[in-house]
């Protein structure tokens, strides 16, 4: 069930409104009868680590060669 409350009511009844949201209701906060915000339950976003593992590959020798080239550009030739 959706419910719309005005700003003053939302301030004075915040705890009760949060309980209603946690119970599954939709709560919209309005200013002068115009909806301005929805009160929703928090969902934590957990990062997915390693989700592209095995999806791409690279040549290790080429990767290391780039380091040597960059070092040569910055520090000059050691020979």
């Amino acid at each position: 069930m959706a419910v719309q409350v005005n700003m003053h009511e939302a301030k004075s009844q915040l705890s009760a409104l949060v309980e209603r949201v946690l119970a599954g209701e939709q709560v919209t906060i309005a200013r002068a009868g115009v909806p301005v915000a929805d009160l929703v339950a928090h969902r934590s976003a957990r990062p997915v680590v390693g989700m592209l593992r095995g999806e791409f590959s690279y040549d290790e020798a080429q990767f290391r060669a780039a380091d040597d080239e960059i070092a040569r550009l910055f520090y000059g030739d050691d020979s």
Side-chain angles (χ1 to χ4, degrees), residues 67-79:
D67 286 344
D68 295 337
E69 181 182 355
I70 290 171
R72 192 170 41 257
L73 290 170
F74 273 101
Y75 304 114
D77 217 355
D78 283 347
S79 49

Side-chain angles (χ1 to χ4, degrees), residues 28-51:
T28 300
I29 300 171
R31 181 180 293 150
V34 177
V36 294
D38 292 317
L39 191 59
V40 297
H42 176 73
R43 290 181 287 171
S44 61
R46 296 180 181 217
V48 178
V49 179
M51 67 185 237

Side-chain angles (χ1 to χ4, degrees), residues 3 7 9 17 24-27 30 36-37 47 56 62 67 75 79:
V3 63
M7 192 69 70
E9 184 181 354
L17 293 173
E25 286 188 56
Q26 293 178 321
V27 175
V36 294
F56 65 94
Q62 243 181 348
D67 286 344
Y75 304 114
S79 49

